[in-house]
Amino acid sequence: MNAKPAHASDQPTRAQDMERPRPLTTVDVVIFTVLDGELKVLLVQRPQTEGEPFPGRWALPGGYVDVARDTNLLACARRKLKEKTGIASPYLEQLGSWGSRDRDPRGWSATHVYFALVPGADLKPMKGGNAADVRWAPVRTTSGQPGMAFDHGEILEAAVARLLSKVEYTSLPAYLLPEPFTLPQLQRMYEVILDRPVDKSGFRTRTLAADFLEEVGQVEGDANRLALAYKMRDRDRVVVFPRTFSPRG
Amino acid sequence: MNAKPAHASDQPTRAQDMERPRPLTTVDVVIFTVLDGELKVLLVQRPQTEGEPFPGRWALPGGYVDVARDTNLLACARRKLKEKTGIASPYLEQLGSWGSRDRDPRGWSATHVYFALVPGADLKPMKGGNAADVRWAPVRTTSGQPGMAFDHGEILEAAVARLLSKVEYTSLPAYLLPEPFTLPQLQRMYEVILDRPVDKSGFRTRTLAADFLEEVGQVEGDANRLALAYKMRDRDRVVVFPRTFSPRG
DNA sequence: TAAATAGTGTCTCTCAGACATTATGAG
DNA sequence: CTCATAATGTCTGAGAGACACTATTTA
């Protein structure tokens, strides 16, 4: 196959570079939180405006990279997150990118997707005057359902899979709580996300052995008795446990 | 700058969409193999042509998304891989994306990076007539060194980190061998990548328990005695082990 | 002292790591 | 028979899971 040399199309001349048609470039953010004891994801409604793709459908928050304002992809994601939730320094990591000829009716487009965890209590009472087009959707009844704009249904499923997988062996759920928090509260975050009970004793041993928490006095727990309060030693470092949480099976 | 509401820039009108300046979009591939008992990565040399960025530097193979030919990002990565190595169905997964204002002197650019594993024995004797500008570089003495084109040094480090991490608990090294292979051969792939010896008995127990291999008769091993030959049951399914390979410590 | 949650103790069983032993084929 | 590697066997200690128990606070 293929008579012309392989690198001909990879290393075009400078003139060709600049003329070449470019895909649309966007950044989307999957923002998770736990509210009312349930895992939720932030969705925005597409405008009903004439000519807009997927009018009225729910989508992940995001938008175009602004080559004048955004110095890089992470900064762009951070900006969009701040705009939607008012939170400046949440947990934020890259999930992946999705790009194809037909995911956006406006043409070849590629989106860089980020994954965020924010504490439920920190949330502004739903930002600004446009509450109607933004909502916290329960993940369990949303992910896997059809009807989302673009390929955001697929992206959401990937994000949920990543979250569930990482929760089994990392300290991620700590980012869902405002500091300081108690160990039982942290345990409940794990239970909510994994949707199964976790043994208290094992949880404590394991969590404290990982040594990513720091005692910061006492605080009222969820009962009469006081509980020890903790905060993360280093919010920039996610801890990976040597083994998984999984029960015998 | 911004008195206007936050979502104004996220959901621009159709007219604005099409005029907005677009970042350059590329796809790069980090291709690993094991040759001569050593982990290697494929690099290509940037052209010396006047006006080209990073002339003469080594870079990861890749190039622009061709909106006419490539239906999606994965197809684009697969095309570039085929062009460089002649291999059609290797292991290929997404690594992540890197995009910023200054990574490419030609302007705001974003690259979607893929991660590939190819069997050393399958390699064409360095494709076509242009052997000079392509080479298999030893990873241990390349990753972490300065001097690569663009931000490819950083990308290579991320790819190596991902590989080392995943090898600890997945069946990935099987993609570095032509089928059928023997268990000792597979064990050697783990040892080469992890750069430490692995206990034979534990390796066999663990690997066979994971049940992703299928016996396909016998084959000459690396010694006089015959060895059982195996192939992967399902090449599209990477197996995740319940625990890590790490030795006591 | 009752109630509710916070926190600790203890037993068991699995399994990875370490190392010893046996099996097989070529020369 | 020797050698080199393939394959299996056995012992042990760490630690996760399960569950019972103690501690602390308010009402």
Side-chain angles (χ1 to χ4, degrees):
Chain A
M1 56 147 278
N2 223 317
K4 66 180 175 181
H7 57 294
S9 64
D10 292 337
Q11 301 178 345
T13 67
R14 189 175 174 80
Q16 285 172 330
D17 289 353
M18 300 292 104
E19 287 166 18
R20 182 181 296 271
R22 303 179 179 189
L24 283 164
T25 302
T26 59
V27 167
D28 293 307
V29 190
V30 186
I31 308 171
F32 290 112
T33 197
V34 170
L35 277 175
D36 310 321
E38 207 182 358
L39 182 64
K40 312 238 179 178
V41 62
L42 191 67
L43 300 182
V44 302
Q45 196 169 20
R46 298 288 306 165
Q48 300 280 357
T49 321
E50 173 72 20
E52 285 288 335
F54 301 99
R57 299 283 184 112
W58 291 97
L60 297 169
Y64 294 99
V65 169
D66 186 331
V67 300
R69 278 167 84 190
D70 301 315
T71 59
N72 57 48
L73 291 173
L74 182 61
C76 180
R78 216 177 273 290
R79 173 170 68 82
K80 289 173 191 306
L81 192 100
K82 183 94 188 281
E83 287 169 359
K84 293 297 174 204
T85 66
I87 295 177
S89 60
Y91 178 75
L92 193 59
E93 72 168 32
Q94 198 178 65
L95 176 65
S97 60
W98 277 257
S100 75
R101 179 184 288 166
D102 52 18
R103 61 181 294 278
D104 187 322
R106 291 165 294 193
W108 225 108
S109 86
T111 186
H112 304 263
V113 184
Y114 284 76
F115 171 109
L117 301 179
V118 302
D122 280 8
L123 299 168
K124 301 271 169 70
M126 203 54 86
K127 190 74 180 172
N130 351 300
D133 61 355
V134 182
R135 73 186 253 256
W136 287 105
V139 167
R140 293 236 132 62
T141 55
T142 304
S143 178
Q145 295 298 109
M148 288 189 70
F150 306 103
D151 49 4
H152 288 189
E154 182 186 332
I155 294 173
L156 176 57
E157 284 191 71
V160 172
R162 172 97 132 231
L163 176 62
L164 293 188
S165 153
K166 279 201 148 184
V167 164
E168 294 278 4
Y169 62 94
T170 70
S171 62
L172 274 195
Y175 295 92
L176 294 167
L177 287 171
E179 296 180 327
F181 50 80
T182 69
L183 281 187
Q185 284 167 352
L186 181 57
Q187 184 181 339
R188 239 151 271 141
M189 289 300 110
Y190 279 89
E191 292 176 333
V192 164
I193 300 175
L194 295 175
D195 199 25
R196 67 161 190 261
V198 168
D199 181 79
K200 181 165 52 167
S201 175
F203 179 80
R204 300 179 78 91
T205 309
R206 179 198 180 108
T207 304
L208 294 176
D211 199 43
F212 69 100
L213 294 179
E214 189 172 11
E215 268 190 46
V216 287
Q218 292 192 329
V219 87
E220 284 176 24
D222 299 338
N224 298 325
R225 178 172 174 180
L226 297 180
L228 288 175
Y230 295 89
K231 70 182 197 62
M232 281 183 266
R233 242 187 246 293
D234 180 0
R235 288 185 65 89
D236 296 328
R237 173 172 240 81
V238 176
V239 172
V240 175
F241 302 130
R243 292 181 65 162
T244 229
F245 263 113
S246 48
R248 299 253 169 95
Chain B
M1 84 149 250
N2 83 59
K4 65 182 176 181
H7 57 293
S9 64
D10 291 338
Q11 299 178 348
T13 66
R14 190 175 173 81
Q16 284 172 330
D17 289 354
M18 299 294 104
E19 288 166 17
R20 183 181 295 272
R22 303 178 179 191
L24 283 163
T25 301
T26 59
V27 168
D28 293 307
V29 190
V30 186
I31 308 171
F32 290 112
T33 196
V34 170
L35 276 177
D36 310 321
E38 205 183 359
L39 182 64
K40 312 238 179 178
V41 62
L42 190 68
L43 299 182
V44 302
Q45 196 168 22
R46 298 286 309 163
Q48 302 278 357
T49 320
E50 173 73 20
E52 283 289 335
F54 302 99
R57 300 282 184 112
W58 291 96
L60 298 169
Y64 295 98
V65 169
D66 186 331
V67 300
R69 279 167 83 189
D70 302 314
T71 60
N72 57 46
L73 291 173
L74 182 62
C76 179
R78 214 177 275 289
R79 173 170 68 82
K80 289 173 192 307
L81 192 101
K82 183 95 188 281
E83 288 169 358
K84 293 297 173 202
T85 66
I87 296 176
S89 60
Y91 177 75
L92 192 59
E93 74 168 31
Q94 198 178 64
L95 176 64
S97 59
W98 277 256
S100 74
R101 179 184 287 165
D102 51 18
R103 61 181 294 276
D104 187 322
R106 291 165 294 192
W108 224 109
S109 86
T111 186
H112 303 263
V113 184
Y114 284 75
F115 171 110
L117 301 179
V118 303
D122 280 8
L123 299 169
K124 301 272 170 68
M126 203 52 86
K127 192 74 182 172
N130 349 299
D133 62 355
V134 182
R135 73 186 253 258
W136 286 104
V139 166
R140 293 234 133 62
T141 56
T142 305
S143 179
Q145 294 300 109
M148 289 188 71
F150 307 103
D151 48 5
H152 287 190
E154 181 187 332
I155 294 174
L156 176 57
E157 284 191 70
V160 171
R162 171 96 131 234
L163 176 62
L164 292 189
S165 153
K166 279 201 148 183
V167 164
E168 293 279 2
Y169 62 94
T170 70
S171 62
L172 275 194
Y175 294 92
L176 294 167
L177 288 170
E179 296 179 328
F181 50 81
T182 70
L183 281 188
Q185 284 166 352
L186 182 57
Q187 182 181 341
R188 239 151 270 143
M189 289 298 112
Y190 279 89
E191 292 176 333
V192 164
I193 300 176
L194 295 175
D195 198 26
R196 68 163 188 258
V198 167
D199 181 78
K200 180 164 54 168
S201 174
F203 179 81
R204 299 179 79 91
T205 310
R206 178 198 181 107
T207 304
L208 294 177
D211 199 43
F212 70 100
L213 294 178
E214 189 172 13
E215 269 190 45
V216 287
Q218 294 192 329
V219 86
E220 283 176 27
D222 299 339
N224 298 325
R225 178 173 173 179
L226 297 181
L228 288 175
Y230 295 90
K231 71 182 196 64
M232 282 183 267
R233 242 186 244 293
D234 180 0
R235 287 187 66 88
D236 296 329
R237 174 172 239 80
V238 176
V239 172
V240 175
F241 301 131
R243 294 180 63 162
T244 229
F245 263 113
S246 47
R248 297 253 169 98

